[in-house]
Amino acid sequence: MTESAQQAQTEEIDLTAANAVIDKYQDMHGALMPVLQEIQEAYGYIPEETVHLTAERLNVYASQIYGVLTFYAQFHLEPRGKYIIRVCMGTACHVKGAGRIGDTIKERLGVGHAETTEDLLFTAEYVACIGACGMAPVIMVNDATYGSISVQKTDEVIQKYQELG
Amino acid sequence: MVNLTIDGKQVTVSKTATIYEAACEAGVHIPVLCYAKKLMPYGACRVCLVEVEQMKGRLIPACTTPVTEGMVVTSTSDEIVKVRKTVLEFLLVNHVVDCPVCDKGGECDLQDLTYEYEVVSNRFEGEKFDLPTDEVNPLIERNMNRCVLCGKCARVCDEIVGYGSYSFINRGFETKIATAFDRGLNCEFCGQCVSMCPVGAILPRPFKFKARPWQLKEIDSVCGYCGNGCTVTLGTKDNKVETIRFNDKTGVNDGNLCVRGRFGYSFINSEDRLTKPLIRENGSLVETSWDKALARVADGLKQSGSETGIVTGARLTNEELFLLRNVAKALGSENIDHSGGECYKGLTEGLQQTLGLQASTATFPQVENCDAILSIRSDFYETHPVFGMVVNQAVRRNDAKLTVIADKRGKFTKLPEAKTLLHKPGLEVNLINAMCRVLLDEGLAKTERLSGVDELKAALADYAPETVAETTGVSVDAIRTAARELAAAENAAILLAYGLPYTAASKELGIAAANLSLLTGIAGRTGSGLYVCGEKNNSQGAIDLAVMPGATGLGAQQMLSAAAQGQLKALYVVGEDMVSSYPDRKAVELALDKVPFLVVQDLFLSPTAQMADVVLPAASFAEKDGTFTNAERRIQRVRAAVPSPGDARTDFNILSDVLSAFGAQAPATAAEAFAQLTADTAAYQGISLDMLGAQGYVWGTDILTPITRNLVAVAGSKPLDAAHQLLVGSALYHSGTMSTHAKGPMAVVSEPYIEFGREDAKALNVAEGDLVKLSADGEIIEAKAKVDNRLPQGVLFAPYHFSALGLNKIYRGQPAIAVQVGK
Ligand code: SF4
Ligand code: SF4
Ligand code: SF4
Ligand code: FES
Ligand code: FES
């Protein structure tokens, strides 16, 4: 995304929720992490404008906040899909063809690792072993796990969530 | 003190020293990369590892480890060398080694260490960084492929500058230094990060491919912009100033500079410099010889004699100001003045009436150890940025409590825990009065040796915090707290800047600030100080040398009115663009138009010079020898680094010639002039040039004791009743009008603007970059809008540096101007 496009997009963000979060922590020292976590909870990701707001209100440099946001994998700087498809790329899944599953998702939805569909319905994420090697290859959609998955089953899963909307 | 041994050498150092500092003391060389004297210990790079007998079994970082009694340190051993080599090998794995085209080559710590440790091969292999170079701004280039992750840039920008551009982002191999959202750099452009980077990762763009470091000649001089008086080491090649070199050994600024000092030197090389004298013939200015020009000047001034007016800027050296005064004497005229004649009255009348002084009472460095700091106006950072960085250090490192009496927000108001008394424009005196009242009411005032206590008490009857809170819009609590904190602090400072855009109530503000400094005991107390700082590089020199009207003489404003009424025969203007920068442009133009003979001596054909009968091309600070006195009374040496362009001459030479034309004796050299002026100036008596060492010489010693301790009652003002009020002031990137000829500052702020707060912008439907018109008193000015969050509702701001804006058509010295906003 270009700088101006990103800015244009962030300008429309309603900051009420972020302000409410900061209100709660305003007088606490070292409250940056919980503030960012709750902002992410409220918006599903960390919109740029909330970073500047947090910087201003907590008197922290925006650069520092950005440092924190990029250090921890838990934070997302781009809007994320309603459904997060986690594709396990751990050893067991890899051996059993996780690559093909990833490719299928890319083909059907047009998103690779850490990418989100334009309609904000799906975000794909390639992750390390999720601890279900017995049913490799495995994908997860939000909290639901789908084991022994094939290309065809992947299609079905995608379709199911597309219908749910 | 602690005794230790390093490589067999005994050394005694303070107990807060680190092993590295002790080694420097002992003359033992330990390599460092992430260490910097002015930054807090960090310990990231591990090249400074040493062995300590008492801590066997591991290597100890010398730069962070404090010394202990009896420590036995070994700085080099086979093992240490091996480890250092490994560290270097690791750094060189991903580092793009492009020394042949890197501007840092020849003074790069990584290059030097690689050479010193003979790292000719690398046992490790890895991907080279391949990151795009940040070339978004015209001043600073960042090439993160060369970064060694020492963190110095991020630390200096935080610890010293207080801007916070950088942070480490990402993890592992991806770790790098970046700005928020990894964008191009957009900051104050002070260049501190440039000077701290040990490698070629952050470089000054204007210097790219200009010279190898060893080809540069270095000349230590003093910045020609503001009263901060920073040392600038000019790097010249082939008689051209190509860059400003890092120098933390000389002067008061610890190697720190602001954008003007670091990148503003380019006005020296400007194409627009005057190179030939000009003389008016048949209505237009034409080039002429020095002989003809000087003859015309001598002729004209001889005729006008005692009816000549002399007006100068505060950028000349002390020696030149001294000659200028002699010119006045030779003419039998007492009409001599500088800087508009009003703005400095806080010192010459305000502090004079109260403290019997006309200068700041203490020096800059001690502010770092202050517990409480009161800044009158947030713009202090804009006018004196590097002193502002000392304030930042006090706040960040030593938890100094900072209070800002401000009509707008700014850098200072954003510092950690800063308290802002955000008031309606023009009411600073009211607030200070209220603070004085709190001190007196609550028995916190140190009134023992003061005179005028009862009179002040009586006069402050109208300044109860409750009343003042109502007029100013500041809360009662905030006023009380500010007063109490200042009184309670062991070491405290009061800061006030003056200059052409801050003309209103200058005397009253000086008095009010001095009253507060007396009641709190700040004036004259060791560790504390009242700082009244002039805008220009030699503002204080001009005051010290009394470049002001004599008993029967006219001040700058009076000269202008006299000229307008046909009562002044000639005006000699030196280094001052009155038309562009003095309040009330119409009046100035009228006066210059009416005066029968106008001589202007300047670097550029300014709007003032364009009206002259004779224009004399003068030299910049980089072309002259002499001294400047900065705002803390530090007399420092200015040294010629390059010749002047064309036929331009130093003001010193021109004034000598003018004096000779009158048959008056002029000192032959700047050194001779210095000897004469010190003999002639009470405060400078006994000071000789060789006393001006690396740190210059502070006249009157570090702490100046008040001669008198008179409290003087002074009245505040009433708020201006107008929906939209315009404030006039300084912008960080500029100083006077001179910086508008410098590429560096112009690259950042290239044109005038009118600043709006977000609420006003929304209400007025003004967006960034829109052309807006302000009208006042039948005059209209027009500029692009700038929108941000510094200004309270109803308050607008415009910087005064740009002649083209014509701001002084509506600015006549008021604290705030009632304006109508239109598009
Ligand atoms: S130029 Fe100054 S303000 Fe900008 S990043 Fe470097 S140190 Fe910080
Ligand atoms: S850019 Fe320079 S100063 Fe900053 S971390 Fe890298 S090497 Fe150090
Ligand atoms: S303009 Fe002032 S603060 Fe900036 S470098 Fe020059 S003397 Fe220092
Ligand atoms: S490798 Fe996929 S679940 Fe363990
Ligand atoms: S200089 Fe000591 S760890 Fe970098």
Side-chain angles (χ1 to χ4, degrees):
Chain A
M1 210 180 296
T2 65
E3 229 172 83
S4 49
Q6 194 156 353
Q7 232 131 36
Q9 183 201 336
T10 52
E11 261 163 32
E12 291 150 28
I13 296 287
D14 178 357
L15 292 173
T16 319
N19 269 313
V21 171
I22 300 169
D23 284 343
K24 241 173 44 190
Y25 292 97
Q26 179 94 69
D27 300 318
M28 251 172 73
H29 271 280
L32 187 56
M33 282 304 273
V35 164
L36 295 175
Q37 280 158 344
E38 288 190 28
I39 287 178
Q40 176 152 299
E41 244 161 64
Y43 294 87
Y45 73 112
I46 310 268
E48 173 166 352
E49 204 52 32
T50 65
V51 172
H52 296 300
L53 181 80
T54 309
E56 203 175 306
R57 292 202 48 199
L58 294 186
N59 212 341
V60 193
Y61 302 128
S63 63
Q64 268 171 2
I65 301 180
Y66 188 67
V68 170
L69 294 176
T70 54
F71 185 84
Y72 295 101
Q74 56 169 295
F75 292 115
H76 306 286
L77 286 152
E78 300 280 341
R80 305 210 325 138
K82 185 169 174 196
Y83 304 111
I84 313 291
I85 310 179
R86 293 194 178 80
V87 186
C88 178
M89 294 285 176
T91 317
C93 293
H94 177 78
V95 170
K96 293 241 174 158
R100 262 196 356 253
I101 308 297
D103 292 346
T104 309
I105 292 170
K106 177 117 202 200
E107 255 163 53
R108 306 293 188 270
L109 297 174
V111 291
H113 172 61
E115 288 173 354
T116 302
T117 55
E118 244 164 62
D119 60 5
L120 293 185
L121 207 52
F122 296 102
T123 297
E125 263 176 15
Y126 302 167
V127 299
C129 175
I130 48 180
C133 308
M135 352 191 259
V138 181
I139 67 171
M140 284 181 78
V141 178
N142 293 353
D143 292 332
T145 308
Y146 300 87
S148 310
I149 197 148
S150 60
V151 171
Q152 198 199 335
K153 258 177 102 182
T154 308
D155 273 336
E156 285 166 23
V157 172
I158 291 174
Q159 206 180 349
K160 172 174 153 200
Y161 285 97
Q162 269 169 340
E163 275 159 18
L164 270 175
Chain B
M1 298 303 266
V2 168
N3 302 297
L4 67 159
T5 316
I6 306 179
D7 292 353
K9 288 188 195 161
Q10 287 280 348
V11 53
T12 309
V13 293
S14 107
K15 63 173 191 268
T16 57
T18 59
I19 298 178
Y20 176 74
E21 285 159 350
C24 291
E25 194 76 13
V28 171
H29 164 71
I30 296 176
V32 290
L33 257 184
C34 70
Y35 167 88
K37 193 175 83 193
K38 65 172 134 188
L39 301 177
M40 308 297 269
Y42 194 58
C45 74
R46 329 262 324 146
V47 303
C48 67
L49 294 176
V50 293
E51 281 165 15
V52 175
E53 209 168 277
Q54 289 86 343
M55 306 178 181
K56 272 265 176 330
R58 62 194 172 108
L59 296 177
I60 306 295
C63 72
T64 51
T65 313
V67 292
T68 51
E69 185 62 40
M71 223 177 207
V72 179
V73 180
T74 310
S75 78
T76 331
S77 68
D78 287 350
E79 200 201 334
I80 292 173
V81 169
K82 217 169 92 193
V83 170
R84 286 187 189 150
K85 254 184 140 153
T86 310
V87 169
L88 290 168
E89 280 173 288
F90 268 128
L91 286 176
L92 289 164
V93 171
N94 316 115
H95 189 98
V96 175
V97 185
D98 48 11
C99 308
V101 288
C102 176
D103 272 310
K104 198 74 177 183
E107 54 180 354
C108 168
D109 289 351
L110 182 62
Q111 195 185 49
D112 292 349
L113 286 173
T114 304
Y115 188 86
E116 184 184 336
Y117 286 88
E118 300 179 30
V119 188
V120 288
S121 60
N122 204 331
R123 287 170 289 154
F124 312 104
E125 248 177 61
E127 214 179 312
K128 291 284 177 195
F129 292 126
D130 184 21
L131 299 160
T133 314
D134 171 12
E135 295 174 354
V136 172
N137 77 82
L139 299 178
I140 296 174
E141 174 177 303
R142 297 186 310 127
N143 181 341
M144 290 303 115
N145 301 313
R146 298 175 181 158
C147 174
V148 293
L149 299 176
C150 70
K152 277 199 222 175
C153 53
R155 287 182 286 144
V156 78
C157 192
D158 168 33
E159 291 177 36
I160 308 269
V161 187
Y163 192 87
S165 279
Y166 303 123
S167 171
F168 284 105
I169 67 160
N170 304 333
R171 268 183 300 186
F173 176 77
E174 307 277 311
T175 304
K176 64 170 187 173
I177 287 278
T179 61
F181 298 93
D182 205 3
R183 305 244 165 88
L185 189 63
N186 185 5
C187 61
E188 288 182 27
F189 298 112
C190 66
Q192 249 67 262
C193 53
V194 175
S195 69
M196 279 292 102
C197 183
V199 293
I202 312 186
L203 292 167
R205 292 191 73 191
F207 182 58
K208 277 211 87 171
F209 299 117
K210 285 291 191 309
R212 279 313 198 176
W214 58 84
Q215 295 172 315
L216 289 171
K217 224 169 98 186
E218 297 188 342
I219 297 98
D220 292 344
S221 194
V222 180
C223 177
Y225 280 112
C226 88
N228 217 109
C230 301
T231 290
V232 286
T233 296
L234 304 166
T236 72
K237 188 177 167 230
D238 302 333
N239 279 330
K240 191 172 168 216
V241 178
E242 293 288 14
T243 190
I244 301 296
R245 306 281 291 158
F246 178 59
N247 178 353
D248 61 354
K249 310 241 159 26
T250 316
V252 69
N253 50 310
D254 215 4
N256 299 320
L257 293 172
C258 77
V259 61
R260 310 183 293 233
R262 177 107 43 197
F263 293 110
Y265 60 85
S266 46
F267 79 95
I268 302 165
N269 308 326
S270 165
E271 300 279 309
D272 301 337
R273 286 278 302 270
L274 285 167
T275 55
K276 286 249 180 340
L278 305 174
I279 207 158
R280 190 166 298 277
E281 261 166 29
N282 303 322
S284 49
L285 286 169
V286 293
E287 288 186 357
T288 187
S289 68
W290 271 106
D291 284 351
K292 283 198 188 129
L294 284 168
R296 176 92 166 257
V297 170
D299 245 25
L301 296 186
K302 259 181 212 155
Q303 275 178 37
S304 55
S306 65
E307 285 168 87
T308 309
I310 297 181
V311 175
T312 178
R315 296 216 190 275
L316 301 198
T317 62
N318 288 320
E319 293 71 13
E320 291 165 343
L321 292 172
F322 179 69
L323 290 201
L324 193 64
R325 247 181 41 196
N326 287 349
V327 169
K329 263 189 216 145
L331 289 168
S333 168
E334 293 201 304
N335 310 326
I336 181 168
D337 207 348
H338 74 277
S339 297
E342 291 301 321
C343 63
Y344 59 71
K345 288 194 168 158
L347 276 179
T348 56
E349 297 184 8
L351 262 62
Q352 179 60 43
Q353 288 175 18
T354 45
L355 309 178
L357 300 172
Q358 303 193 358
S360 298
T361 68
T363 59
F364 294 157
Q366 67 200 54
V367 169
E368 199 182 331
N369 297 315
C370 276
D371 315 304
I373 300 167
L374 173 73
S375 173
I376 304 170
R377 292 203 188 95
S378 69
D379 311 34
F380 197 93
Y381 190 83
E382 272 81 355
T383 51
H384 298 80
V386 172
F387 187 21
M389 292 174 199
V390 179
V391 172
N392 177 50
Q393 290 170 65
V395 170
R396 262 173 223 283
R397 289 185 179 159
N398 302 333
D399 298 321
K401 297 190 167 104
L402 174 65
T403 304
V404 194
I405 294 184
D407 49 18
K408 58 181 154 309
R409 291 183 199 87
K411 176 82 175 273
F412 271 180
T413 64
K414 280 196 277 182
L415 294 186
E417 319 284 324
K419 296 194 188 75
T420 307
L421 311 190
L422 194 64
H423 61 85
K424 294 180 191 150
L427 302 180
E428 289 88 352
V429 172
N430 305 49
L431 280 166
I432 303 174
N433 274 350
M435 287 174 68
C436 290
R437 165 86 185 249
V438 170
L439 297 179
L440 288 163
D441 281 358
E442 300 187 0
L444 299 170
K446 302 181 174 60
T447 52
E448 298 88 56
R449 292 179 293 161
L450 311 184
S451 64
V453 178
D454 293 334
E455 292 85 340
L456 184 68
K457 269 188 188 157
L460 291 179
D462 295 340
Y463 293 91
E466 293 73 15
T467 320
V468 172
E470 193 126 321
T471 4
T472 58
V474 176
S475 80
V476 178
D477 260 3
I479 299 174
R480 286 191 196 282
T481 311
R484 288 174 193 153
E485 280 183 1
L486 207 59
E490 193 180 321
N491 300 322
I494 301 175
L495 321 181
L496 170 65
Y498 68 85
L500 280 168
Y502 309 102
T503 300
S506 50
K507 171 183 162 188
E508 289 76 8
L509 256 177
I511 293 178
N515 284 342
L516 190 60
S517 78
L518 286 171
L519 292 172
T520 49
I522 284 171
R525 188 171 67 206
T526 305
S528 296
L530 167 63
Y531 298 83
V532 181
C533 300
E535 161 195 42
K536 304 276 169 70
N537 52 309
N538 204 22
S539 292
Q540 188 60 40
I543 305 263
D544 294 344
L545 293 179
V547 183
M548 283 171 282
T552 62
L554 306 176
Q557 295 307 318
Q558 293 159 309
M559 285 185 237
L560 289 173
S561 346
Q565 288 157 21
Q567 288 162 4
L568 201 68
K569 288 200 176 138
L571 202 53
Y572 187 2
V573 182
V574 184
E576 189 92 302
D577 182 4
M578 307 168 82
V579 171
S580 306
S581 65
Y582 276 28
D584 202 347
R585 179 178 294 213
K586 277 270 160 66
V588 176
E589 281 171 343
L590 179 69
L592 299 189
D593 202 41
K594 274 277 179 72
V595 74
F597 187 55
L598 176 63
V599 182
V600 175
Q601 185 167 314
D602 209 329
L603 303 184
F604 299 99
L605 193 62
S606 65
T608 306
Q610 282 165 26
M611 299 181 75
D613 296 295
V614 185
V615 179
L616 305 174
S620 76
F621 78 102
E623 295 144 29
K624 44 172 96 162
D625 289 306
T627 57
F628 291 154
T629 307
N630 80 349
E632 33 143 36
R633 296 173 280 114
R634 194 177 301 269
I635 310 171
Q636 303 184 99
R637 296 198 64 165
V638 178
R639 293 185 181 85
V642 289
S644 296
D647 293 342
R649 293 186 187 173
T650 62
D651 296 280
F652 190 88
N653 288 343
I654 303 172
L655 294 168
S656 300
D657 286 343
V658 172
L659 278 172
S660 309
F662 299 137
Q665 269 285 318
T669 59
E672 211 172 288
F674 187 76
Q676 289 183 17
L677 79 87
T678 49
D680 194 60
T681 310
Y684 288 30
Q685 237 146 54
I687 302 173
S688 64
L689 268 190
D690 49 20
M691 288 160 73
L692 314 188
Q695 315 308 323
Y697 184 89
V698 177
W699 69 256
T701 70
D702 280 6
I703 298 292
L704 205 55
T705 313
I707 314 269
T708 58
R709 291 172 184 275
N710 299 329
L711 296 167
V712 175
V714 58
S717 308
K718 290 209 170 58
L720 183 65
D721 183 20
H724 293 105
Q725 315 186 8
L726 177 71
L727 301 175
V728 172
S730 280
L732 175 61
Y733 304 94
H734 287 282
S735 168
T737 53
M738 195 163 77
S739 54
T740 61
H741 297 279
K743 278 190 204 141
M746 288 304 273
V748 189
V749 176
S750 59
E751 51 183 7
Y753 58 85
I754 296 165
E755 189 178 328
F756 292 81
R758 280 193 198 136
E759 298 89 17
D760 283 334
K762 206 164 174 192
L764 292 162
N765 197 15
V766 166
E768 178 94 18
D770 284 0
L771 213 52
V772 286
K773 287 194 178 81
L774 299 186
S775 53
D777 278 352
E779 296 283 352
I780 294 182
I781 61 167
E782 192 178 44
K784 283 194 187 150
K786 185 175 169 221
V787 179
D788 61 25
N789 58 357
R790 296 200 313 151
L791 297 162
Q793 213 193 336
V795 177
L796 318 180
F797 171 80
Y800 88 109
H801 316 282
F802 297 91
S803 183
L805 176 60
L807 184 57
N808 53 352
K809 284 193 288 185
I810 62 173
Y811 176 59
R812 304 198 170 89
Q814 322 82 310
I817 310 162
V819 290
Q820 305 280 328
V821 187
K823 276 211 198 175

